């Protein structure tokens, strides 16, 4: 498994993963703020690519022996405005916060440890950037 910054060639695959999650949630009556006609969209992916804060997790497809993107997420220090409404257990300046946005694992790859692997990467990146949270 490998996590790397996304490239423009990954855009369609990231959107496919996001749309797959939206479809799965709809079929399983799980309600989130995601809606494939509203968020996340190709604009979400393209904006993250232009900011250079979209990451992808690649793994080898055992059937094809080719690497494929199985998860993606946006990691940056941009906190949504509604975060100010909460009392957080750890006090931190904005530059001490690393936020994971729009994280998703391909629904066909659930249960393989990809989510945990990505979370470990995210936490290590936060430590490298001296972020408290």
């Amino acid at each position: 498994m490998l996590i790397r910054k996304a490239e423009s060639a990954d855009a369609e695959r990231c959107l496919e993963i996001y749309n797959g999650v939206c479809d799965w949630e709809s079929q399983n009556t799980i309600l989130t703020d995601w809606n494939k006609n509203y968020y996340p969209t190709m604009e979400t992916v393209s904006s993250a690519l232009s900011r250079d804060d979209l990451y992808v997790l690649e793994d080898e497809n055992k059937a094809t022996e080719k690497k494929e993107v199985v998860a993606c997420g946006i990691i940056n220090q941009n906190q949504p405005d509604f975060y100010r409404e909460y009392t957080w257990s750890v006090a931190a300046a904005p530059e001490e916060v690393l936020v994971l946005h729009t994280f998703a694992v391909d629904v066909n790859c659930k249960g393989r440890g990809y989510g945990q692997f990505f979370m470990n990467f995210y936490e290590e990146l936060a430590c490298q950037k001296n972020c408290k949270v």
Side-chain angles (χ1 to χ4, degrees):
M1 285 186 268
L2 168 75
I3 296 179
R4 60 172 173 78
K5 292 266 183 113
E7 302 168 353
S8 58
D10 300 314
E12 287 292 332
R13 177 65 178 135
C14 290
L15 185 61
E16 183 179 286
I17 291 170
Y18 292 144
N19 285 340
V21 169
C22 289
D23 290 342
W24 184 89
E25 288 179 344
S26 176
Q27 293 163 3
N28 290 280
T29 60
I30 295 173
L31 302 175
T32 65
D33 291 335
W34 285 22
N35 177 318
K36 71 179 178 182
N37 298 315
Y38 176 70
Y39 179 86
T41 63
M42 184 53 80
E43 182 179 340
T44 309
V45 174
S46 297
S47 294
L49 281 168
S50 69
R51 290 189 310 267
D52 198 32
D53 58 10
L54 179 62
Y55 290 80
V56 294
L57 168 57
E58 285 185 332
D59 200 10
E60 186 173 303
N61 181 319
K62 297 192 186 336
T64 64
E65 296 184 3
K66 293 183 180 179
K67 289 186 178 187
E68 66 179 19
V69 172
V70 296
C72 52
I74 299 168
I75 302 174
N76 59 39
Q77 293 183 285
N78 301 331
Q79 298 180 59
D81 291 338
F82 67 86
Y83 279 19
R84 291 188 204 119
E85 298 173 21
Y86 299 98
T87 302
W88 300 97
S89 60
V90 176
E95 63 274 8
E96 296 175 313
V97 178
L98 193 64
V99 183
L100 175 60
H101 309 267
T102 322
F103 171 68
V105 175
D106 184 325
V107 296
N108 298 309
C109 299
K110 291 184 345 177
R112 298 183 192 171
Y114 295 136
Q116 186 61 56
F117 190 84
F118 204 101
M119 291 303 118
N120 291 344
F121 169 82
Y122 167 54
E123 290 177 357
E124 289 172 20
L125 186 60
C127 289
Q128 291 170 10
K129 293 179 174 284
N130 295 313
C131 291
K132 290 181 180 179
V133 293

